[in-house]
């Protein structure tokens, strides 16, 4: 244990739960404490680690505390939920749930009560299908399994106990999923319980009416471990909840169980280790989805660049009257504030596409860490057609690091196709953002040198179109990480009103695909980016030992000697020290080029998954950033964005020889005489086996299913296709 907790001098219990934090190489254990109070208390926390700094989130609580050496003291006037984070990191934090004291007179012997006392219980599947039933979990009760509420009315699940699916592996998800699932019920109350490690969505309300979810705490560490999903239900109130989940936190959907109406989420704290804090979509199969409100919510962590407030639609519903109000946003580097989009996806079923209208964002406060570690990604509004468009979107009092965004430009908002009537409102006396215009230019094409490395120049241009002088800091970011040679130092500058300035960078890069971007700690610097593709040129007839050597580098800056490659007599010749070790191997992935299609992803790397750089897609008019595309599953499955190659040919080359191999091009799925194809190479070595994604030369994260990051290989002959 990292912590001991004392409340008014009495020891409080420490519990643990599984979480799956970035960079997603292993599930970790997080500690939390829970106790009841009916008057002000003093909390003393003993830490195993020496305390250099302490932060308590959400910052909006403004809690009083002191710390020294290994001890933190917090004064609490009333019940609260908060995260205690030490030494500048949210890893090894402590969650504190101070609960209101109640249930003293609970009648556990009543006929309609299903009672679980303190201790461990295995219920597998507890089905409640009788009206007027109470399921009570005493504090300290721990249920292994799930609770289904099925076609029943006036049902309550309550108590300070826990229900968990930690004993149920992914392989039984088709039976053991959703820790609490209410289906076609009326007058349901779910309060005070804790849900951990669900094998799918944690709590689902499906086709129900008159529902209250109050003071529920949810932890999820698996894929699809949403917090609370309200599906095709009416008159639902969700309040005072805490979520730390790997997938979406608060979600609205519809599955042909009638319209979704009158749903309110309020007074809650959200922590997303991967996906979206607040989401309307994707499945919206109803006639109407209307009057949904997200109010007074703190987002304390969402580190992967996903939209914080999103509406994603591809079914028939008319979506209207959606409100996001009094939302405070803390540690969310690189995130989109807003993303509203109508597009088809894997999850949609309706042929007819609906529309989105009357959406309101009010009193949105982006605080940052505080401050920003990375610039926010561009927010976006994008309809599908004249019939399936977006209209009447109001932004009122949107603050970014203390300054107000009074326009689309200030907010970093892209208003794209089929969007009508976007309105910004702000107080006249508010201090406005004066955003610097930023552009990236490549004055001349990159040139391939004899050592196989491209050399070129990148220019960053900044312009101050405002009426006040501006000072700022920026740096040039190149993704994939740790590749190439270029100046990485931050540039500090003062830009006079109406003035402009440019910075030139000489850059060396190996073959591959790159996003070059401007990054800053200052919200007045606009995010700018440029996509760059550099061919891998193989020399026909060159002796492989004289070919340039390219090294493998991954996101963690683990490097190894790479390989040399050449083509001779319709064979690909590879030479690599990696192949001299019998424990190592190489895997070649080859595909024939295909034409680029609209919406197709052309760039995403490992740090896309970690919120550092967005994906790039081939948009309707030009290349576009797609920050809602973060994980490989969404690229290849949900949005069907992978290049539509006929086949990805996979060829295993075992180690243990002299380090040189010759592979006929025909064995790679290539026709004789071909001079242009796509390729990725994976190095399987012991030192990188523990990491989430394969160790690939051109930074593909799923080379067996998607070719979008494959190198564009050109065999250098007179008839080569460029």
């Amino acid at each position: 244990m990292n912590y001991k907790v004392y409340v008014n001098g009495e020891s409080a219990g420490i519990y643990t739960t599984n979480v799956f934090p970035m960079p997603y190489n292993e599930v970790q254990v997080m500690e939390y404490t829970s106790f009841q109070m009916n008057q002000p208390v003093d909390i003393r926390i003993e830490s195993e680690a020496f305390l250099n700094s302490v932060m308590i989130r959400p910052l909006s609580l403004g809690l009083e505390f002191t710390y020294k050496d290994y001890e933190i003291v917090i004064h609490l006037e009333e019940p609260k939920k908060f995260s205690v984070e030490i030494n500048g990191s949210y890893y090894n934090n402590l969650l504190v749930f101070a609960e209101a004291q109640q249930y003293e007179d609970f009648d556990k012997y009543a006929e309609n009560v299903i009672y679980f006392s303190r201790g461990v219980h295995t219920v597998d599947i507890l089905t409640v299908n009788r009206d007027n039933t109470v399921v009570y979990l005493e504090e300290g009760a721990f249920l292994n399994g799930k609770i289904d509420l099925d076609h029943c009315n006036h049902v309550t699940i309550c108590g300070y106990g826990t229900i968990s699916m930690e004993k149920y592996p992914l392989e039984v998800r088709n039976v053991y999923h959703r820790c609490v699932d209410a289906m076609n019920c009326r007058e349901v109350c779910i309060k005070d319980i804790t849900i951990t490690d669900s094998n799918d969505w944690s709590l689902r309300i499906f086709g129900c009416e008159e529902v209250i979810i109050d003071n529920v705490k949810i932890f999820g560490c698996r894929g699809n471990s949403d917090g609370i999903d309200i599906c095709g239900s009416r008159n639902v109130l969700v309040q005072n909840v805490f979520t730390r989940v790997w997938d979406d936190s608060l979600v609205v959907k519809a599955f042909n169980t009638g319209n979704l109406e009158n749903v309110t989420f309020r007074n809650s704290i959200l922590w997303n280790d991967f996906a979206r804090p607040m989401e309307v979509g994707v499945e919206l199969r109803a006639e109407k989805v209307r009057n949904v409100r997200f109010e007074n919510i703190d987002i304390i962590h969402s580190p992967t660049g996903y939209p914080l407030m999103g509406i994603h639609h591809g079914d028939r519903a008319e979506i209207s009257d959606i409100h996001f109000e009094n939302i405070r946003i803390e540690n969310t580097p690189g995130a989109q504030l807003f993303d509203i989009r109508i597009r088809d996806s894997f999850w949609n079923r309706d042929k007819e596409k609906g529309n989105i209208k009357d959406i309101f964002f009010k009193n949105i406060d982006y605080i940052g860490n505080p401050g920003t570690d990375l610039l926010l990604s561009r927010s976006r509004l994008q309809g599908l057609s004249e019939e399936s468009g977006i209209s009447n979107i109001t932004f009122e009092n949107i603050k970014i690091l203390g300054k107000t965004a009074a326009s689309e430009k200030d907010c970093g908002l892209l208003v794209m196709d089929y969007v009508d009537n976007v309105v910004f409102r702000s107080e006249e006396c508010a201090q406005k953002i004066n955003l610097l215009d930023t552009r990236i230019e490549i004055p001349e094409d990159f040139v391939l040198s004899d050592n196989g490395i491209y050399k070129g120049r990148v220019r960053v241009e900044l312009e101050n179109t405002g009426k006040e002088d501006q000072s700022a800091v920026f740096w040039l970011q190149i993704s994939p990480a740790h590749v190439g040679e270029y100046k990485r130092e931050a540039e500090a500058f003062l830009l006079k009103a109406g003035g402009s300035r440019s910075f030139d960078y000489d850059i060396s890069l190996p073959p591959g695909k790159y996003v070059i971007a401007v990054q800053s700690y200052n919200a007045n610097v606009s995010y700018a980016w440029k996509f760059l593709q550099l061919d891998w040129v193989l020399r026909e007839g060159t002796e492989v030992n004289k070919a340039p050597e390219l090294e493998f580098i991954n996101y963690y800056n683990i490097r190894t000697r790479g390989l040399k490659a050449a083509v001779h007599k319709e064979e690909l010749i590879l030479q690599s020290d990696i192949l001299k070790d019998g424990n190592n191997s190489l895997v070649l992935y080859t595909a024939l080029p295909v034409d680029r299609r609209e919406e197709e992803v052309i760039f995403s790397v490992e740090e896309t998954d970690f919120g550092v750089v967005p994906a790039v897609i081939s948009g309707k008019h030009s290349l576009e950033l797609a920050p809602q595309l973060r994980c490989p599953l969404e690229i290849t499955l949900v949005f069907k964005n992978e290049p539509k190659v006929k086949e990805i040919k996979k060829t295993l080359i075992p180690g243990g020889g002299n380090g040189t191999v010759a592979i006929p091009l025909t064995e790679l799925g290539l026709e004789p005489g071909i001079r242009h194809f796509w390729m990725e190479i994976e190095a399987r070595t012991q030192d990188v086996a523990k990491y989430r994604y394969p160790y690939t030369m051109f930074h593909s994260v799923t080379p067996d299913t998607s070719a979008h990051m494959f190198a564009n290989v050109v065999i250098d002959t007179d008839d080569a296709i460029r």
Side-chain angles (χ1 to χ4, degrees):
M1 292 292 185
N2 296 309
Y3 299 98
K4 294 179 181 178
V5 178
Y6 302 88
V7 180
N8 287 343
E10 298 291 327
S11 178
I14 298 289
Y15 305 91
T16 61
T17 187
N18 289 334
V19 295
F20 194 26
M22 190 176 68
Y24 317 122
N25 290 314
E26 59 182 355
V27 172
Q28 297 182 11
V29 174
M30 187 195 68
E31 297 174 43
Y32 66 98
T33 187
S34 178
F35 56 86
Q36 299 177 40
M37 58 180 287
N38 58 8
Q39 60 184 3
V41 298
D42 288 311
I43 306 168
R44 182 167 61 85
I45 301 171
E46 294 180 0
S47 167
E48 286 290 323
F50 184 82
L51 302 171
N52 295 307
S53 65
V54 175
M55 180 174 288
I56 294 181
R57 300 184 190 271
L59 300 173
S60 62
L61 293 180
L63 292 183
E64 299 178 16
F65 70 93
T66 59
Y67 71 92
K68 184 179 180 181
D69 297 338
Y70 297 91
E71 183 178 274
I72 307 166
V73 176
I74 304 168
H75 178 74
L76 207 58
E77 287 286 329
E78 58 186 4
K80 298 289 184 184
K81 305 176 186 69
F82 52 91
S83 174
V84 178
E85 301 171 12
I86 66 172
N87 300 335
S89 171
Y90 61 74
Y91 296 95
N92 298 320
N93 70 306
L94 173 72
L95 287 178
V96 178
F97 299 136
E99 308 277 19
Q101 198 164 24
Q102 50 184 296
Y103 300 117
E104 292 181 0
D105 300 322
F106 189 85
D107 185 1
K108 63 182 179 182
Y109 301 108
E111 182 179 355
N112 66 330
V113 173
I114 302 172
Y115 184 87
F116 294 95
S117 59
R118 180 183 296 271
V120 178
H121 308 264
T122 298
V123 299
D124 288 336
I125 301 175
L126 172 63
T127 300
V128 178
N129 51 22
R130 186 176 61 179
D131 293 352
N132 305 309
T133 300
V134 176
V135 181
Y136 178 77
L137 284 65
E138 184 181 68
E139 183 179 12
F142 190 93
L143 273 65
N144 289 305
K146 61 174 297 191
I147 300 175
D148 285 346
L149 308 182
D150 188 10
H151 289 81
C152 50
N153 301 326
H154 196 227
V155 176
T156 298
I157 302 174
C158 63
Y160 288 125
T162 298
I163 181 167
S164 175
M165 300 186 88
E166 65 181 26
K167 301 297 185 184
Y168 302 83
L170 186 64
E171 290 75 17
V172 298
R173 178 184 281 181
N174 61 327
V175 176
Y176 295 100
H177 53 269
R178 296 188 288 273
C179 271
V180 178
D181 199 6
M183 297 162 287
N184 304 107
C185 301
R186 286 182 60 91
E187 299 182 31
V188 174
C189 179
I190 303 170
K191 63 178 182 177
D192 299 331
I193 64 170
T194 299
I195 297 172
T196 71
D197 205 0
S198 183
N199 211 356
D200 204 277
W201 299 352
S202 301
L203 196 167
R204 184 180 75 161
I205 304 299
F206 187 89
C208 298
E209 298 189 21
E210 311 299 333
V211 177
I212 295 177
I213 300 170
D214 188 10
N215 193 39
V216 173
K217 287 75 62 178
I218 298 176
F219 303 103
C221 63
R222 311 192 199 192
N224 287 106
S225 62
D226 288 8
I228 299 173
D229 290 76
I230 309 301
C231 305
S233 299
R234 292 151 291 283
N235 304 325
V236 179
L237 173 62
V238 179
Q239 63 182 3
N240 305 317
V241 304
F242 178 95
T243 66
R244 181 177 181 180
V245 293
W246 197 78
D247 215 307
D248 304 331
S249 277
L250 306 178
V251 190
V252 166
K253 297 178 181 289
F255 295 94
N256 295 312
T257 58
N259 292 340
L260 184 138
E261 299 175 307
N262 308 328
V263 175
T264 296
F265 303 91
R266 69 186 185 192
N267 306 338
S268 296
I269 302 168
L270 311 181
W271 179 336
N272 288 80
D273 278 308
F274 185 72
R276 306 164 182 85
M278 292 172 281
E279 169 78 359
V280 177
V282 174
E283 299 108 322
L284 295 168
R285 294 190 281 283
E287 302 309 314
K288 305 283 186 181
V289 172
R290 60 189 177 193
N291 193 22
V292 178
R293 308 185 72 89
F294 299 87
E295 301 175 341
N296 193 33
I297 291 174
D298 290 279
I299 304 170
I300 61 172
H301 296 290
S302 187
T304 56
Y306 267 109
L308 305 177
M309 292 162 275
I311 304 175
H312 296 103
H313 191 17
D315 286 307
R316 70 181 187 274
E318 178 185 87
I319 302 174
S320 65
D321 200 18
I322 313 295
H323 295 253
F324 298 85
E325 187 168 343
N326 296 326
I327 311 296
R328 295 167 295 276
I329 303 160
E330 297 182 21
N331 180 36
T332 63
Q336 277 182 298
L337 292 180
F338 320 107
D339 195 52
I340 303 178
R341 195 167 187 247
I342 304 175
R343 278 295 183 275
D344 204 1
S345 80
F346 172 84
W347 304 116
N348 304 125
R349 300 292 182 269
D350 293 339
K351 292 183 180 180
E352 177 187 354
K353 304 303 178 190
N355 54 56
I356 301 172
K357 65 179 183 179
D358 303 332
I359 313 298
F360 302 87
F361 299 93
K362 182 178 180 180
N363 297 338
I364 311 299
D365 189 1
Y366 174 71
I367 302 164
N369 197 18
T372 182
D373 301 307
L374 292 172
L375 292 172
L376 291 169
S377 296
R378 301 293 297 271
S379 293
R380 177 178 51 187
L381 309 176
Q382 186 175 25
L384 181 64
S385 65
E386 293 288 350
E387 296 75 23
S388 297
I390 299 171
S391 61
N392 305 333
I393 314 297
T394 300
F395 298 89
E396 182 175 352
N397 193 25
I398 311 299
K399 289 188 176 180
I400 300 175
L401 301 186
K403 295 184 178 181
T404 299
S407 67
E408 299 165 11
K409 175 185 173 183
D410 292 345
C411 199
L413 176 66
L414 297 172
V415 178
M416 305 176 75
D417 305 305
Y418 309 111
V419 178
D420 181 57
N421 193 28
V422 178
V423 176
F424 274 79
R425 296 175 181 156
S426 60
E427 299 174 359
E428 287 295 328
C429 60
Q431 186 178 7
K432 306 296 194 299
I433 295 173
N434 179 15
L435 201 64
L436 298 174
D437 289 337
T438 309
R439 293 178 298 279
I440 295 177
E441 301 293 342
I442 299 177
E444 299 178 2
D445 290 342
F446 275 62
V447 176
L448 181 63
S449 58
D450 291 339
N451 65 357
I453 301 299
Y454 285 87
K455 297 183 181 296
R457 177 164 293 180
V458 171
R459 179 168 298 153
V460 177
E461 299 177 345
L462 301 107
E463 183 178 5
N464 183 1
T465 60
K467 298 180 180 179
E468 298 179 357
D469 297 350
Q470 293 251 55
S471 60
V473 172
F474 83 92
W475 67 93
L476 197 66
Q477 172 188 291
I478 298 181
S479 299
H482 310 300
V483 176
E485 298 179 3
Y486 60 99
K487 182 180 179 182
R488 292 178 173 85
E489 293 87 0
E491 304 276 6
F493 63 93
L494 174 67
L495 204 54
K496 297 286 187 178
S500 61
R501 188 171 176 183
S502 65
F503 298 83
D504 283 357
Y505 297 85
D506 291 323
I507 296 176
S508 299
L509 293 169
K513 296 179 180 179
Y514 302 92
V515 166
I516 302 171
V518 168
Q519 277 294 356
S520 178
Y521 301 122
N522 304 110
N524 62 333
V525 176
S526 61
Y527 183 76
W529 62 280
K530 182 74 71 173
F531 172 73
L532 183 64
Q533 176 176 297
L534 302 174
D535 295 343
W536 188 21
V537 178
L538 302 181
R539 308 296 182 184
E540 174 76 53
T542 300
E543 294 182 21
V544 70
N545 63 332
K546 295 181 180 178
E549 182 173 357
L550 303 181
E551 64 179 350
F552 289 88
I553 309 167
N554 72 358
Y555 175 76
Y556 305 94
N557 202 19
I558 297 174
R559 298 167 179 257
T560 184
R561 291 191 63 184
L563 56 78
K564 298 180 179 183
V567 174
H568 182 67
K569 294 182 179 180
E570 300 298 323
E571 288 186 323
L572 177 66
I573 315 298
L574 298 179
Q575 186 180 85
S576 175
D577 286 347
I578 294 172
L579 291 174
K580 293 180 179 180
D581 188 333
N583 296 315
N584 298 336
S585 60
L586 295 177
V587 183
L588 307 186
Y589 302 88
T590 48
L592 295 175
V594 293
D595 291 336
R596 186 182 294 167
R597 302 184 184 187
E598 186 178 330
E599 295 289 311
E600 180 182 298
V601 168
I602 64 172
F603 177 90
S604 73
V605 290
E606 192 160 354
E607 57 258 47
T608 302
D609 218 352
F610 306 153
V612 178
V613 60
V616 177
I617 66 173
S618 178
K620 184 175 182 179
H621 307 291
S622 60
L623 298 184
E624 299 173 6
L625 294 182
Q628 96 284 10
L629 293 173
R630 287 294 181 181
C631 72
L633 183 64
E634 286 201 304
I635 291 169
T636 60
L637 173 64
V638 178
F639 292 100
K640 303 177 183 178
N641 289 107
E642 74 280 10
K644 306 300 188 293
V645 298
K646 182 179 180 181
E647 178 189 16
I648 296 176
K649 177 70 173 178
K650 183 176 177 179
T651 306
L652 176 66
I653 304 175
N658 64 0
T660 301
V661 295
I663 310 105
L665 294 179
T666 54
E667 290 188 12
L668 302 177
L670 306 174
E671 296 292 332
I674 196 167
R675 293 297 177 264
H676 177 214
F677 57 93
W678 291 351
M679 175 173 280
E680 178 61 279
I681 303 177
E682 176 186 354
R684 294 182 177 176
T685 64
Q686 294 299 310
D687 57 342
V688 296
K690 65 180 181 179
Y691 294 106
R692 176 176 173 85
Y693 290 126
Y695 193 32
T696 51
M697 175 159 286
F698 302 108
H699 306 275
S700 298
V701 295
T702 55
D704 53 339
T705 59
S706 181
H708 67 270
M709 285 299 294
F710 286 19
N712 187 53
V713 181
V714 174
I715 299 175
D716 189 19
T717 63
D718 291 340
D719 59 346
I721 301 173
R722 298 279 175 173

